[in-house]
Amino acid sequence: MKLRFRSTPRPAPSPRRLPAWAVWTAVAVAAVVFFVCNPEAVPVFPRCPFHVLTGWQCPGCGLQRAVHSLLHLDVAAAFHHNALFVSALPYMALLGLASRRCRRWPRLYASLTGPAALCLVAVAAACWFVGRNVWGW
């Protein structure tokens, strides 16, 4: 019986990408921490440096409280804390799916990451920034 060896070695994994299990473990740990600890009550969570320095709310202000509310299935409270984040969740989910299947759906991935989509996201964030600081959204 003769043993056969591969003539070409397997390609080495890219050093830039984390293993999937490490990413999902970090997401699970963060979800447990945000579920158990309320960012409004626990002083360990960092405060927004932009808000601390200027007194204005950046587009990300309220994100930690929104995640905590979403994990407790309180969508109304999450929307109150950061409406931009809650409104962007379907886009982020579709982007995640399209990035995993970019070879299968290249046009969808290109349309979600193209210049027009990025400009739309930037305009939405700018409108949210102005709206919540000028009109008190």
Side-chain angles (χ1 to χ4, degrees):
M1 181 170 167
K2 223 177 187 184
L3 294 176
R4 294 184 182 183
F5 296 100
R6 289 181 178 231
S7 60
T8 57
R10 290 185 182 180
S14 173
R16 293 183 184 173
R17 293 187 63 182
L18 287 173
W21 63 267
V23 173
W24 286 111
T25 302
V27 168
V29 168
V32 168
V33 168
F34 274 102
F35 183 82
V36 173
C37 301
N38 185 355
E40 290 179 306
V42 179
V44 173
F45 291 97
R47 296 190 58 197
C48 176
F50 183 79
H51 182 68
V52 169
L53 291 173
T54 65
W56 291 2
Q57 294 184 349
C58 74
C61 280
L63 186 66
Q64 294 175 357
R65 291 172 288 161
V67 169
H68 176 76
S69 297
L70 281 176
L71 289 173
H72 285 276
L73 303 178
D74 190 357
V75 178
F79 196 81
H80 173 72
H81 293 306
N82 193 323
L84 178 67
F85 171 68
V86 175
S87 301
L89 282 175
Y91 173 76
M92 290 187 289
L94 188 60
L95 180 61
L97 177 67
S99 67
R100 296 284 295 157
R101 305 277 188 234
C102 62
R103 288 191 177 134
R104 179 181 257 175
W105 302 323
R107 289 178 56 198
L108 175 64
Y109 180 74
S111 67
L112 291 174
T113 59
L118 295 179
C119 286
L120 184 63
V121 168
V123 166
C127 289
W128 175 241
F129 174 74
V130 170
R132 72 188 320 196
N133 288 302
V134 174
W135 297 298
W137 293 348

PDB file of all heavy atoms in Angstrom, residues 34-37 67-75:
ATOM      1  N   PHE A  34     -23.952  43.433  28.351  1.00  0.00           N
ATOM      2  CA  PHE A  34     -24.964  44.459  28.115  1.00  0.00           C
ATOM      3  C   PHE A  34     -26.346  44.018  28.583  1.00  0.00           C
ATOM      4  O   PHE A  34     -27.175  44.850  28.914  1.00  0.00           O
ATOM      5  CB  PHE A  34     -25.012  44.857  26.643  1.00  0.00           C
ATOM      6  CG  PHE A  34     -24.026  45.920  26.290  1.00  0.00           C
ATOM      7  CD1 PHE A  34     -22.851  45.608  25.636  1.00  0.00           C
ATOM      8  CD2 PHE A  34     -24.255  47.243  26.625  1.00  0.00           C
ATOM      9  CE1 PHE A  34     -21.937  46.587  25.315  1.00  0.00           C
ATOM     10  CE2 PHE A  34     -23.346  48.235  26.312  1.00  0.00           C
ATOM     11  CZ  PHE A  34     -22.185  47.909  25.652  1.00  0.00           C
ATOM     12  N   PHE A  35     -26.614  42.726  28.596  1.00  0.00           N
ATOM     13  CA  PHE A  35     -27.899  42.249  29.099  1.00  0.00           C
ATOM     14  C   PHE A  35     -27.976  42.384  30.613  1.00  0.00           C
ATOM     15  O   PHE A  35     -28.980  42.825  31.163  1.00  0.00           O
ATOM     16  CB  PHE A  35     -28.132  40.788  28.696  1.00  0.00           C
ATOM     17  CG  PHE A  35     -29.475  40.267  29.120  1.00  0.00           C
ATOM     18  CD1 PHE A  35     -30.602  40.537  28.358  1.00  0.00           C
ATOM     19  CD2 PHE A  35     -29.613  39.521  30.277  1.00  0.00           C
ATOM     20  CE1 PHE A  35     -31.851  40.065  28.746  1.00  0.00           C
ATOM     21  CE2 PHE A  35     -30.854  39.050  30.673  1.00  0.00           C
ATOM     22  CZ  PHE A  35     -31.973  39.328  29.906  1.00  0.00           C
ATOM     23  N   VAL A  36     -26.898  42.026  31.287  1.00  0.00           N
ATOM     24  CA  VAL A  36     -26.892  42.019  32.758  1.00  0.00           C
ATOM     25  C   VAL A  36     -26.722  43.432  33.322  1.00  0.00           C
ATOM     26  O   VAL A  36     -27.381  43.799  34.293  1.00  0.00           O
ATOM     27  CB  VAL A  36     -25.778  41.084  33.276  1.00  0.00           C
ATOM     28  CG1 VAL A  36     -25.629  41.188  34.773  1.00  0.00           C
ATOM     29  CG2 VAL A  36     -26.074  39.653  32.865  1.00  0.00           C
ATOM     30  N   CYS A  37     -25.852  44.217  32.747  1.00  0.00           N
ATOM     31  CA  CYS A  37     -25.524  45.532  33.298  1.00  0.00           C
ATOM     32  C   CYS A  37     -26.227  46.638  32.517  1.00  0.00           C
ATOM     33  O   CYS A  37     -26.120  46.715  31.291  1.00  0.00           O
ATOM     34  CB  CYS A  37     -24.015  45.761  33.234  1.00  0.00           C
ATOM     35  SG  CYS A  37     -23.062  44.543  34.118  1.00  0.00           S
ATOM     36  N   VAL A  67     -28.604  49.254  22.946  1.00  0.00           N
ATOM     37  CA  VAL A  67     -28.284  47.821  22.893  1.00  0.00           C
ATOM     38  C   VAL A  67     -28.851  47.109  24.110  1.00  0.00           C
ATOM     39  O   VAL A  67     -29.437  46.026  23.993  1.00  0.00           O
ATOM     40  CB  VAL A  67     -26.748  47.617  22.782  1.00  0.00           C
ATOM     41  CG1 VAL A  67     -26.376  46.171  22.996  1.00  0.00           C
ATOM     42  CG2 VAL A  67     -26.240  48.097  21.440  1.00  0.00           C
ATOM     43  N   HIS A  68     -28.714  47.712  25.279  1.00  0.00           N
ATOM     44  CA  HIS A  68     -29.271  47.123  26.503  1.00  0.00           C
ATOM     45  C   HIS A  68     -30.789  46.964  26.370  1.00  0.00           C
ATOM     46  O   HIS A  68     -31.339  45.910  26.705  1.00  0.00           O
ATOM     47  CB  HIS A  68     -28.928  48.003  27.706  1.00  0.00           C
ATOM     48  CG  HIS A  68     -29.530  47.552  28.987  1.00  0.00           C
ATOM     49  ND1 HIS A  68     -29.040  46.474  29.698  1.00  0.00           N
ATOM     50  CD2 HIS A  68     -30.600  48.003  29.687  1.00  0.00           C
ATOM     51  CE1 HIS A  68     -29.782  46.295  30.786  1.00  0.00           C
ATOM     52  NE2 HIS A  68     -30.726  47.225  30.794  1.00  0.00           N
ATOM     53  N   SER A  69     -31.466  47.980  25.862  1.00  0.00           N
ATOM     54  CA  SER A  69     -32.914  47.906  25.690  1.00  0.00           C
ATOM     55  C   SER A  69     -33.315  46.869  24.652  1.00  0.00           C
ATOM     56  O   SER A  69     -34.296  46.141  24.838  1.00  0.00           O
ATOM     57  CB  SER A  69     -33.466  49.274  25.288  1.00  0.00           C
ATOM     58  OG  SER A  69     -33.237  50.216  26.300  1.00  0.00           O
ATOM     59  N   LEU A  70     -32.564  46.773  23.565  1.00  0.00           N
ATOM     60  CA  LEU A  70     -32.875  45.764  22.539  1.00  0.00           C
ATOM     61  C   LEU A  70     -32.695  44.346  23.072  1.00  0.00           C
ATOM     62  O   LEU A  70     -33.479  43.451  22.739  1.00  0.00           O
ATOM     63  CB  LEU A  70     -32.008  45.970  21.303  1.00  0.00           C
ATOM     64  CG  LEU A  70     -32.431  47.073  20.355  1.00  0.00           C
ATOM     65  CD1 LEU A  70     -31.424  47.218  19.231  1.00  0.00           C
ATOM     66  CD2 LEU A  70     -33.811  46.803  19.790  1.00  0.00           C
ATOM     67  N   LEU A  71     -31.677  44.137  23.875  1.00  0.00           N
ATOM     68  CA  LEU A  71     -31.474  42.804  24.454  1.00  0.00           C
ATOM     69  C   LEU A  71     -32.597  42.434  25.421  1.00  0.00           C
ATOM     70  O   LEU A  71     -32.849  41.257  25.649  1.00  0.00           O
ATOM     71  CB  LEU A  71     -30.114  42.730  25.154  1.00  0.00           C
ATOM     72  CG  LEU A  71     -28.911  42.731  24.220  1.00  0.00           C
ATOM     73  CD1 LEU A  71     -27.621  42.819  25.011  1.00  0.00           C
ATOM     74  CD2 LEU A  71     -28.911  41.490  23.342  1.00  0.00           C
ATOM     75  N   HIS A  72     -33.270  43.435  25.970  1.00  0.00           N
ATOM     76  CA  HIS A  72     -34.428  43.186  26.831  1.00  0.00           C
ATOM     77  C   HIS A  72     -35.731  43.286  26.037  1.00  0.00           C
ATOM     78  O   HIS A  72     -36.813  43.341  26.627  1.00  0.00           O
ATOM     79  CB  HIS A  72     -34.443  44.168  27.999  1.00  0.00           C
ATOM     80  CG  HIS A  72     -33.418  43.839  29.033  1.00  0.00           C
ATOM     81  ND1 HIS A  72     -33.630  42.930  30.029  1.00  0.00           N
ATOM     82  CD2 HIS A  72     -32.145  44.281  29.200  1.00  0.00           C
ATOM     83  CE1 HIS A  72     -32.556  42.831  30.783  1.00  0.00           C
ATOM     84  NE2 HIS A  72     -31.628  43.639  30.295  1.00  0.00           N
ATOM     85  N   LEU A  73     -35.617  43.323  24.704  1.00  0.00           N
ATOM     86  CA  LEU A  73     -36.741  43.353  23.768  1.00  0.00           C
ATOM     87  C   LEU A  73     -37.638  44.575  23.955  1.00  0.00           C
ATOM     88  O   LEU A  73     -38.842  44.527  23.699  1.00  0.00           O
ATOM     89  CB  LEU A  73     -37.566  42.063  23.864  1.00  0.00           C
ATOM     90  CG  LEU A  73     -36.786  40.773  23.623  1.00  0.00           C
ATOM     91  CD1 LEU A  73     -37.684  39.577  23.803  1.00  0.00           C
ATOM     92  CD2 LEU A  73     -36.150  40.782  22.250  1.00  0.00           C
ATOM     93  N   ASP A  74     -37.070  45.673  24.370  1.00  0.00           N
ATOM     94  CA  ASP A  74     -37.794  46.930  24.518  1.00  0.00           C
ATOM     95  C   ASP A  74     -37.391  47.848  23.357  1.00  0.00           C
ATOM     96  O   ASP A  74     -36.512  48.699  23.484  1.00  0.00           O
ATOM     97  CB  ASP A  74     -37.474  47.575  25.865  1.00  0.00           C
ATOM     98  CG  ASP A  74     -38.377  48.744  26.185  1.00  0.00           C
ATOM     99  OD1 ASP A  74     -39.224  49.106  25.337  1.00  0.00           O
ATOM    100  OD2 ASP A  74     -38.235  49.304  27.291  1.00  0.00           O
ATOM    101  N   VAL A  75     -38.043  47.656  22.208  1.00  0.00           N
ATOM    102  CA  VAL A  75     -37.672  48.375  20.989  1.00  0.00           C
ATOM    103  C   VAL A  75     -37.992  49.861  21.113  1.00  0.00           C
ATOM    104  O   VAL A  75     -37.240  50.706  20.622  1.00  0.00           O
ATOM    105  CB  VAL A  75     -38.373  47.750  19.766  1.00  0.00           C
ATOM    106  CG1 VAL A  75     -38.034  48.506  18.491  1.00  0.00           C
ATOM    107  CG2 VAL A  75     -37.987  46.292  19.624  1.00  0.00           C
TER     108      VAL A  75
END
